[in-house]
Structures are given as structure tokens and as C-alpha cells.
Amino acid sequence: MSHKADGDEFDRIARFFAPLAEASDGAMGLTDDAALFETAGGRGTVVTADALVAGVHFPENESPALIARKLLRVNLSDLAAMGAVPRAYLLVLALPEQVDDDWLEAFSAGLKEDQESFGVTLIGGDMVATPGPLTLSLTLLGEAGEQGVMVRSGARAGDVVFVSGTIGDAALGLRVLEGELTGPDREAADFLCARYRLPEPRLELGRRLRGVARAGVDISDGLAADLGHICEVSGVGARLDASRTPLSPATQAALDADPSLMEVILGGGDDYEILFTAAPEREPEIMALGGEIGLQLTAVGTILEGEGVAVEDGEGGEIVLNHPGYKHF
Amino acid sequence: MSHKADGDEFDRIARFFAPLAEASDGAMGLTDDAALFETAGGRGTVVTADALVAGVHFPENESPALIARKLLRVNLSDLAAMGAVPRAYLLVLALPEQVDDDWLEAFSAGLKEDQESFGVTLIGGDMVATPGPLTLSLTLLGEAGEQGVMVRSGARAGDVVFVSGTIGDAALGLRVLEGELTGPDREAADFLCARYRLPEPRLELGRRLRGVARAGVDISDGLAADLGHICEVSGVGARLDASRTPLSPATQAALDADPSLMEVILGGGDDYEILFTAAPEREPEIMALGGEIGLQLTAVGTILEGEGVAVEDGEGGEIVLNHPGYKHF
């Protein structure tokens, strides 16, 4: 969610900013969710930053506590995808005049709630005035594990592609919030909106996948797009079987009512589930892990030689996505 | 410069955000320029973040390369004040539609120039769209030295207060840019504006002051205000002798023409010089250090028991500042 910009941002990043990152191994060409910062003699510091803008990434009148928690969680999700342990964060706020103390109090309460849940603490930042919309950015620092981190570039032909949780809920939730999807009943609509508004970073899964998965990413740009990111930096292709995509009951019901929503489900972002690849012989271990941590893990595709992501409909046809997701660095 | 907001931001930070930082020793109550992030077994990572907003912290039409370099330098100055060695940074850009590739190219060229000068490298970040003004934030990571870092809270009664370089140039430069100060001739005006537009982070001085100075801060809120910050967190007071403030020839000439500018000189920010305190017996060593690194170091005051900063005019009178500088965390 925090990564949305024009489709050519990825090119701009490659062109203007990746050259600035060449000297750092830890920057990994700016293609990963977080950067590894090696300190002398110590375990690596893992650091990520994401921004949210009012009216772009959340409605102007969104609850301040939810904004705070989402800001923290989209960053936590980046560390989850690296298998890192989050520790501390810096917060940068550009505040319009109308943001008052009540707003800040609710905002800080949201932060407090989530920092206690996730074991992180604020350590610094900046606060400035802006004549524009509320703009927030957060830098999250964490620690790499003894086995290092999980990166995007490790996928190999033959790997199985797995995904955690269910896919498409957040994209449908956004459509509900925007009034574009009116079919779901109240309970289903609430579920979908909650999935959009407050993602659940998969930190435990990420930590447990270190040394098990070969490549991983959190789904912020869409299942197909984020698999594409893994393929691009790993130098491989992939086949995604759309019929195996894990769907919540609410999303399944919406899809049954309107099969064209499959494109939104596969192309929309903001689920913040973890997409990862592993050697086929790891599958039993991975299924057992899912049971152990109480999180559905589903095999949805295969890594292939070549390039690009082919999305199959499970009946021998191919689905062409017109909306391949957003880009970021 | 990046710290400007309403005067009550400091209270808001103390009220809403400092409680969120209590669990971290390295956050130092959010009163320092940068936070120390201890990794297991390793030397500390030092991290800081600052933001700039178009129309607030720089003119809308400012050169993109200068914006980039200033953004990096205000953060570098924070690490200089801690005596840390800068290593890597994350960049968060909220871009309005009218920012085009030419702009980004010039911006990234400015970053490249300064990252080569200062030995840092981009390692990550985020890029989002905004309907508001261009908003930039940067998180800079560095390494603490073997002797740790220089913090604000170490000042003791009896310490001498020193300052690097010359004071007031940036504040007068801003007035020149805004058309409020027209007295300086072309050469003087250019000098003052350059001091405002492109600060020089005092990294070498900061590193050399580790183990020598007791407390340090970079001057971003104004000489008097930043000395006040040191006093507040150190639990001491201070006397500042305005007549000993080191002035550039351009600022001296402006002051001679209009003695009321002393308040601007002492109260204005953005010089990004280092203000530090040390035991009196360290003075010869400090003077020698200034000679060695080619940077003027001047004793401008004394730390006292008590609280608050008294600004004396050198003739037995006291100067009352109506404009005590901006607050930030």
C-alpha cells in the first residue's frame, strides 16, 4: 500500500537511485523489502522505510490509531519477509495545521498498542509542518538471524511457490470502502475492509522460514506482481495456478458472484501475506510449520527456467492481468 | 532547518512520543540528534531521520541537486554531533505529479556528489505519490566509535561552551533570500545564502571530539536554543557571552550596520555548526584540534549550576531572545 506511485517509478528507481546503492552489498540493488546493514563485528541490522500519504494511501478521515498501526505494520511486514526480528523505529511526520493534539494522542495510542504487540520501540524521528496532506514515514530497524535473512533473489527453477493466509481480501476490501463492490453482506464486507485497513505482519512465519525458504517477499503489490519481482531478481520465470489461490469465504463468495474479480484478487496488493519459494522436498516441513503456527500455507505455483509469470486458470487457459500491481524500492 | 514546526511540537513530542521511547536506552528520551541502536555483539548503529517539505524548508523552485545535498547534510550533521561515522541512508520521497525525470536526475546527481564526498551509500527507501508539496525524508545510519557517542546530556557545571565555525550566517542568508535583508553586497549576500542553502556537516570535528567533549549538539535551532537543549537534558544552566560569538566578515558587517540583528544571529538556526561543552582543562587541546583540522573553535560561554540560558551582551547587560528557535525530536 505504501508503495503506490506511477508505473514508471520502478524504472526511475533503477535509473536514478540504484546506481547510488551499488557500493553496498546490503542494499541488494534496492530490489528487496529491507536493507541489511552490517555493523563491525556484530549481527546485521535490517532496516526498511515506508511512507503513507493522506488521501492516497488512506482516507483523509481514517482513524488516527489505524493509520499509526498500518504505518507500523507495513514496515513490520517488510521485516517479516526478510525473516528479521523488528526492534526499533524512527517516525517522520509532516503535519498539516488541522492535525491537533486529539489526533496525535489517538495516533500515538495506536502506535503504543502495536509496538507492545510486536516488541518494537520508537527511537527517533522528525516532525515538520506541511501545507499539504498528512504525510508519514517510518523507518524500522531489526536484527538478522544467525542464518542471515531471506531475500528475493534466491528462487531456483523447480522451487514450489507458497503463499501464507488468503489472497485478495485487501483488494476487495478497498473496493468495498470505495463503494465499487456492494455485493458482500455486512459481515463479509467488514472482514474484507479490516484486511485492507489493518494488515497482519507474518513475523513468526518469516523467522521460521529462514534456512527453509529460498526466496521471500511480502505481498504489497499483488500476488502476480510480487512473484514477478522474485522472478526478475532471481533470473527465473514462474507459473501461477490461479485455481489454487487460497481465498477467504468472503472473497470466495464475491468471486462466485462475479468471476471477473479474479483479476482484482491476483493483481491487487495490500494483503501483506508472505510469498516464498522452496525446494519441493521442503513441502512436508512447510506444511507442518503452517500447522504449528496456525497459519494456512498453500502451494500456488512453480518456479521455471526463463522469465515472466504465466497465470493459469487451472483449466488449461491463461489469465492476462491488465493491472500487474505497483512498483517501489 | 528540517526541524521547523509550531513551537508546541516539543511539548507534543514529550507528551505523545517520548513515552513510546522509554523502553530503549538508545532512544535517550528522544532528546538527542540521533539514536543509538545496539546490535547483539556488535558496535552500535547510530541512526537519524530528518524531513524537508517544499515551500516550508526550501523554496519550491530550489535546485533539485541542492535539495538533495541539503537533505543529506542535515542528517550528516546530526551524526557529526554524535561523533558517529555515517555509512548508509534510506530515502523516502513523496512526489507531486509535476516532478519529472529531469528533476529526479538532477536530484540523484546531487545525492551522488555528496555521498561520494561523505562516504555514504543509499540502501533503501520508498517513493510515493502526493497531491501536496514535494516531501522528502532521509534516514541516515552510522557507526558509533570505540569510545561510544557524544550526547547532549553530558554537560556539567564549570564546562566551557565551544562552537565551531561562525554563527548567524544561515539565518542572515535566509533573510537575504526572502528579501528582508538587503544591506550586504553581492559577495557577502552570496556567502550568506550559500551558508543557508548548503550546510557543511562537521563530521571530522565530531569524531575527534569523542572522549574530549562532554556534550554536543549541531546547531539547527539556533545557538541559544540548542545550548538550551543541552542544558535541559543535562540538568544545568549556561551563560552565553554574545560578544564572543564567532562571526564571519559578512555577518559582522551586517551586524555593524544593524545591531538589532544580534537577536537573529543568536536565535536563528540552520548553521549546522557543532556546539559542545568540555572541562576547562581541555581548552588547550581543543584549540589545537581546531588548528589541526582547519576549523575555528571558539569558547562562547560557561555551563552553570541551575537551569536556563542567560545571554550576556559582554558589557554587563542581558539580551532577551524573543525567537528562541524551533523544537524537534
Side-chain angles (χ1 to χ4, degrees), chain A residues 255-308:
Chain A
L255 181 64
D256 290 345
D258 176 4
S260 78
L261 286 176
M262 182 51 93
E263 191 181 325
V264 176
I265 292 166
L266 297 173
D270 298 330
D271 284 316
Y272 295 99
E273 295 295 343
I274 293 188
L275 175 70
F276 61 98
T277 84
E281 61 269 24
R282 295 284 202 173
E283 187 158 353
E285 180 182 356
I286 286 164
M287 292 300 121
L289 170 60
E292 203 179 318
I293 65 176
L295 179 60
Q296 182 180 351
L297 301 177
T298 308
V300 294
T302 310
I303 297 294
L304 307 169
E305 311 252 354
E307 61 181 25

Coordinates of all heavy atoms in Angstrom, one line a residue, chain A residues 255-308:
Chain A
L255 N -16.2 -13.8 -5.5 CA -15.7 -14.3 -6.8 C -16.8 -15.2 -7.5 O -17.0 -15.1 -8.7 CB -14.4 -15.1 -6.6 CG -13.8 -15.8 -7.8 CD1 -13.3 -14.7 -8.8 CD2 -12.6 -16.7 -7.4
D256 N -17.5 -15.9 -6.6 CA -18.6 -16.8 -7.2 C -19.6 -15.9 -7.9 O -20.2 -16.2 -8.9 CB -19.3 -17.6 -6.1 CG -18.3 -18.7 -5.6 OD1 -17.3 -19.0 -6.3 OD2 -18.6 -19.3 -4.5
A257 N -19.9 -14.7 -7.2 CA -20.9 -13.8 -7.8 C -20.4 -13.1 -9.0 O -21.2 -12.7 -9.9 CB -21.3 -12.8 -6.7
D258 N -19.1 -12.9 -9.1 CA -18.5 -12.1 -10.2 C -17.2 -12.7 -10.5 O -16.1 -12.2 -10.0 CB -18.5 -10.6 -9.9 CG -17.8 -9.8 -11.0 OD1 -17.5 -10.4 -12.1 OD2 -17.6 -8.6 -10.8
P259 N -17.1 -13.7 -11.4 CA -15.8 -14.3 -11.7 C -14.7 -13.4 -12.3 O -13.6 -13.7 -12.2 CB -16.2 -15.4 -12.8 CG -17.7 -15.7 -12.6 CD -18.2 -14.3 -12.1
S260 N -15.1 -12.2 -12.8 CA -14.1 -11.3 -13.3 C -13.3 -10.7 -12.2 O -12.3 -10.1 -12.4 CB -14.8 -10.2 -14.1 OG -15.4 -9.2 -13.2
L261 N -13.7 -10.9 -10.9 CA -12.9 -10.4 -9.8 C -11.6 -11.1 -9.6 O -10.7 -10.6 -8.9 CB -13.7 -10.4 -8.5 CG -14.9 -9.4 -8.3 CD1 -15.6 -9.7 -7.0 CD2 -14.3 -8.0 -8.3
M262 N -11.4 -12.2 -10.3 CA -10.1 -13.0 -10.2 C -9.0 -12.1 -10.5 O -7.9 -12.1 -9.9 CB -10.1 -14.2 -11.1 CG -8.9 -15.1 -10.9 SD -8.4 -15.5 -9.2 CE -9.2 -17.1 -9.0
E263 N -9.2 -11.2 -11.5 CA -8.1 -10.3 -11.9 C -7.7 -9.3 -10.7 O -6.5 -9.0 -10.5 CB -8.5 -9.5 -13.1 CG -7.3 -8.8 -13.7 CD -7.6 -7.9 -14.9 OE1 -8.5 -8.4 -15.7 OE2 -7.0 -6.9 -15.0
V264 N -8.7 -8.8 -10.0 CA -8.5 -8.0 -8.9 C -7.8 -8.8 -7.8 O -6.9 -8.3 -7.1 CB -9.8 -7.4 -8.3 CG1 -9.6 -6.6 -7.1 CG2 -10.5 -6.6 -9.4
I265 N -8.2 -10.0 -7.6 CA -7.7 -10.8 -6.5 C -6.2 -11.1 -6.8 O -5.3 -11.0 -5.8 CB -8.4 -12.1 -6.4 CG1 -9.9 -11.8 -5.8 CG2 -7.7 -13.2 -5.5 CD1 -10.8 -13.0 -6.0
L266 N -5.8 -11.4 -8.0 CA -4.4 -11.7 -8.3 C -3.6 -10.5 -8.5 O -2.4 -10.5 -8.3 CB -4.4 -12.6 -9.6 CG -5.0 -13.9 -9.5 CD1 -5.0 -14.6 -10.9 CD2 -4.3 -14.8 -8.5
G267 N -4.2 -9.4 -8.9 CA -3.5 -8.2 -9.3 C -3.4 -7.1 -8.2 O -2.5 -6.3 -8.2
G268 N -4.4 -7.2 -7.3 CA -4.4 -6.2 -6.2 C -3.4 -6.4 -5.1 O -2.9 -7.5 -4.9
G269 N -3.0 -5.4 -4.4 CA -2.0 -5.5 -3.4 C -2.6 -5.5 -2.0 O -3.7 -5.8 -1.8
D270 N -1.7 -5.2 -1.1 CA -2.1 -4.8 0.3 C -2.5 -6.0 1.2 O -3.0 -5.8 2.3 CB -3.3 -3.9 0.3 CG -2.9 -2.5 -0.3 OD1 -1.7 -2.2 -0.3 OD2 -3.8 -1.9 -0.9
D271 N -2.3 -7.3 0.7 CA -2.6 -8.4 1.6 C -1.5 -8.6 2.6 O -1.8 -9.0 3.7 CB -2.7 -9.7 0.8 CG -4.0 -9.8 0.0 OD1 -5.1 -9.4 0.6 OD2 -4.0 -10.1 -1.2
Y272 N -0.3 -8.2 2.3 CA 0.8 -8.4 3.3 C 1.0 -9.8 3.8 O 1.4 -10.0 4.9 CB 0.7 -7.3 4.4 CG 0.9 -5.9 3.9 CD1 -0.2 -5.1 3.6 CD2 2.1 -5.4 3.5 CE1 -0.1 -3.9 3.1 CE2 2.3 -4.2 3.0 CZ 1.2 -3.4 2.8 OH 1.3 -2.2 2.2
E273 N 0.5 -10.7 2.9 CA 0.9 -12.1 3.2 C 2.3 -12.3 2.7 O 2.9 -11.5 2.0 CB -0.1 -13.1 2.5 CG -1.5 -13.0 3.0 CD -1.6 -13.4 4.5 OE1 -0.7 -14.1 5.0 OE2 -2.7 -13.1 5.1
I274 N 2.9 -13.5 3.1 CA 4.3 -13.8 2.6 C 4.2 -14.8 1.4 O 3.6 -15.8 1.5 CB 5.2 -14.3 3.7 CG1 5.4 -13.1 4.7 CG2 6.5 -14.8 3.1 CD1 6.5 -13.4 5.7
L275 N 4.9 -14.4 0.3 CA 5.0 -15.3 -0.8 C 6.5 -15.8 -0.8 O 7.4 -15.0 -0.6 CB 4.8 -14.4 -2.1 CG 5.1 -15.0 -3.4 CD1 4.0 -16.0 -3.7 CD2 5.1 -13.9 -4.5
F276 N 6.7 -17.1 -0.8 CA 8.0 -17.6 -0.8 C 8.2 -18.8 -1.6 O 7.2 -19.5 -2.0 CB 8.4 -17.9 0.7 CG 7.6 -18.9 1.4 CD1 8.0 -20.2 1.5 CD2 6.4 -18.5 2.0 CE1 7.2 -21.2 2.2 CE2 5.6 -19.5 2.6 CZ 6.0 -20.8 2.8
T277 N 9.4 -19.1 -1.9 CA 9.7 -20.3 -2.7 C 10.6 -21.2 -1.9 O 11.4 -20.8 -1.1 CB 10.4 -20.0 -4.1 OG1 11.8 -19.8 -3.9 CG2 9.8 -18.7 -4.7
A278 N 10.5 -22.5 -2.2 CA 11.3 -23.5 -1.5 C 11.5 -24.8 -2.4 O 10.6 -25.0 -3.3 CB 10.7 -23.9 -0.2
A279 N 12.5 -25.5 -2.2 CA 12.7 -26.8 -2.9 C 11.6 -27.7 -2.6 O 11.0 -27.7 -1.5 CB 14.0 -27.4 -2.5
P280 N 11.1 -28.5 -3.6 CA 9.9 -29.3 -3.5 C 10.0 -30.3 -2.3 O 9.0 -30.5 -1.6 CB 9.9 -30.1 -4.8 CG 10.7 -29.4 -5.7 CD 11.7 -28.6 -5.0
E281 N 11.2 -30.8 -1.9 CA 11.4 -31.7 -0.8 C 11.1 -31.0 0.5 O 11.0 -31.7 1.5 CB 12.8 -32.4 -0.8 CG 13.9 -31.5 -0.7 CD 14.5 -31.0 -2.1 OE1 13.7 -31.0 -3.0 OE2 15.7 -30.6 -2.1
R282 N 11.0 -29.7 0.5 CA 10.7 -29.0 1.8 C 9.2 -28.9 2.1 O 8.8 -28.4 3.1 CB 11.3 -27.5 1.7 CG 12.8 -27.4 1.6 CD 13.4 -27.7 3.0 NE 14.7 -27.1 3.1 CZ 15.4 -27.0 4.2 NH1 15.0 -27.5 5.3 NH2 16.6 -26.5 4.2
E283 N 8.4 -29.3 1.1 CA 7.0 -29.1 1.2 C 6.4 -29.7 2.5 O 5.6 -29.0 3.2 CB 6.2 -29.6 0.0 CG 4.8 -29.2 0.0 CD 4.1 -29.2 -1.4 OE1 4.8 -29.3 -2.4 OE2 2.9 -29.0 -1.4
P284 N 6.7 -31.0 2.9 CA 6.1 -31.5 4.1 C 6.5 -30.7 5.3 O 5.6 -30.4 6.2 CB 6.7 -32.9 4.2 CG 7.1 -33.2 2.8 CD 7.5 -32.0 2.1
E285 N 7.7 -30.3 5.4 CA 8.2 -29.5 6.5 C 7.4 -28.1 6.6 O 7.1 -27.6 7.7 CB 9.7 -29.2 6.3 CG 10.4 -28.4 7.3 CD 11.9 -28.2 6.9 OE1 12.3 -28.8 5.9 OE2 12.6 -27.5 7.6
I286 N 7.2 -27.5 5.4 CA 6.5 -26.3 5.3 C 5.0 -26.4 5.7 O 4.5 -25.6 6.5 CB 6.6 -25.7 3.9 CG1 8.1 -25.1 3.8 CG2 5.6 -24.5 3.7 CD1 8.5 -24.9 2.4
M287 N 4.4 -27.5 5.3 CA 3.0 -27.7 5.7 C 2.9 -27.9 7.2 O 2.0 -27.4 7.8 CB 2.4 -29.0 4.9 CG 2.3 -28.7 3.4 SD 1.1 -27.4 3.1 CE 2.2 -26.3 2.1
A288 N 3.9 -28.6 7.7 CA 3.9 -28.9 9.2 C 4.1 -27.5 9.9 O 3.5 -27.3 11.0 CB 5.0 -29.8 9.6
L289 N 5.0 -26.7 9.4 CA 5.2 -25.4 10.0 C 3.9 -24.6 10.1 O 3.6 -23.9 11.1 CB 6.3 -24.6 9.2 CG 6.5 -23.1 9.5 CD1 6.9 -23.0 11.0 CD2 7.5 -22.5 8.6
G290 N 3.1 -24.6 8.9 CA 1.9 -23.9 8.9 C 0.9 -24.3 10.0 O 0.3 -23.5 10.7
G291 N 0.9 -25.6 10.2 CA 0.0 -26.2 11.3 C 0.5 -25.7 12.6 O -0.3 -25.3 13.5
E292 N 1.8 -25.7 12.8 CA 2.4 -25.4 14.1 C 2.1 -24.0 14.5 O 1.8 -23.7 15.7 CB 3.9 -25.6 14.0 CG 4.6 -25.9 15.3 CD 6.1 -26.1 15.1 OE1 6.5 -26.8 14.1 OE2 6.9 -25.5 15.8
I293 N 2.2 -23.0 13.5 CA 2.0 -21.6 13.9 C 0.6 -21.1 13.6 O 0.2 -20.0 13.7 CB 3.0 -20.7 13.2 CG1 2.9 -20.7 11.6 CG2 4.5 -21.1 13.5 CD1 3.8 -19.7 10.9
G294 N -0.3 -22.1 13.1 CA -1.7 -21.8 12.9 C -1.9 -20.8 11.7 O -2.7 -19.9 11.8
L295 N -1.2 -21.0 10.7 CA -1.3 -20.1 9.5 C -1.3 -21.0 8.3 O -0.4 -21.8 8.0 CB -0.1 -19.1 9.5 CG 0.0 -18.1 8.3 CD1 -1.3 -17.2 8.3 CD2 1.2 -17.3 8.4
Q296 N -2.4 -20.8 7.5 CA -2.5 -21.5 6.3 C -1.4 -21.2 5.3 O -1.1 -20.1 5.0 CB -3.9 -21.2 5.6 CG -4.2 -21.9 4.3 CD -5.6 -21.5 3.8 OE1 -6.3 -20.7 4.4 NE2 -5.9 -22.0 2.6
L297 N -0.7 -22.3 4.8 CA 0.3 -22.1 3.8 C -0.1 -23.0 2.6 O -0.5 -24.1 2.8 CB 1.7 -22.6 4.3 CG 2.2 -21.8 5.6 CD1 3.5 -22.4 6.0 CD2 2.3 -20.3 5.3
T298 N -0.1 -22.4 1.4 CA -0.6 -23.0 0.2 C 0.4 -23.0 -0.9 O 0.9 -21.9 -1.2 CB -1.9 -22.3 -0.2 OG1 -2.8 -22.2 0.9 CG2 -2.6 -23.1 -1.3
A299 N 0.6 -24.1 -1.6 CA 1.4 -24.1 -2.8 C 0.6 -23.6 -4.0 O -0.5 -24.1 -4.2 CB 1.9 -25.5 -3.1
V300 N 1.0 -22.6 -4.6 CA 0.2 -21.9 -5.7 C 0.9 -21.9 -7.0 O 0.3 -21.4 -8.0 CB -0.2 -20.5 -5.3 CG1 -1.1 -20.4 -4.1 CG2 1.1 -19.6 -5.0
G301 N 2.1 -22.4 -7.1 CA 2.8 -22.4 -8.4 C 4.2 -23.0 -8.3 O 4.6 -23.6 -7.4
T302 N 4.9 -22.8 -9.4 CA 6.2 -23.4 -9.6 C 7.2 -22.4 -10.3 O 6.8 -21.6 -11.1 CB 6.1 -24.6 -10.5 OG1 5.1 -25.4 -10.1 CG2 7.4 -25.4 -10.6
I303 N 8.4 -22.4 -9.8 CA 9.4 -21.6 -10.4 C 10.0 -22.4 -11.6 O 10.2 -23.6 -11.6 CB 10.6 -21.3 -9.5 CG1 10.0 -20.4 -8.3 CG2 11.7 -20.5 -10.2 CD1 9.6 -19.0 -8.6
L304 N 10.2 -21.6 -12.8 CA 10.6 -22.3 -14.0 C 11.9 -21.6 -14.5 O 12.1 -20.4 -14.2 CB 9.5 -22.1 -15.1 CG 8.1 -22.6 -14.7 CD1 7.1 -22.1 -15.8 CD2 8.1 -24.1 -14.6
E305 N 12.6 -22.2 -15.4 CA 13.6 -21.6 -16.2 C 12.9 -20.5 -17.0 O 11.8 -20.6 -17.3 CB 14.3 -22.5 -17.1 CG 14.7 -23.8 -16.5 CD 16.3 -23.9 -16.3 OE1 16.9 -23.0 -16.8 OE2 16.7 -24.9 -15.7
G306 N 13.7 -19.5 -17.4 CA 13.1 -18.4 -18.3 C 12.8 -17.2 -17.5 O 13.5 -16.8 -16.6
E307 N 11.7 -16.5 -17.9 CA 11.4 -15.2 -17.3 C 9.9 -15.0 -17.3 O 9.2 -15.6 -18.2 CB 12.1 -14.1 -17.8 CG 11.9 -13.8 -19.3 CD 12.7 -12.6 -19.9 OE1 13.7 -12.3 -19.3 OE2 12.2 -12.0 -20.9
G308 N 9.4 -14.1 -16.5 CA 8.0 -13.8 -16.6 C 7.1 -14.7 -15.7 O 7.5 -15.8 -15.4

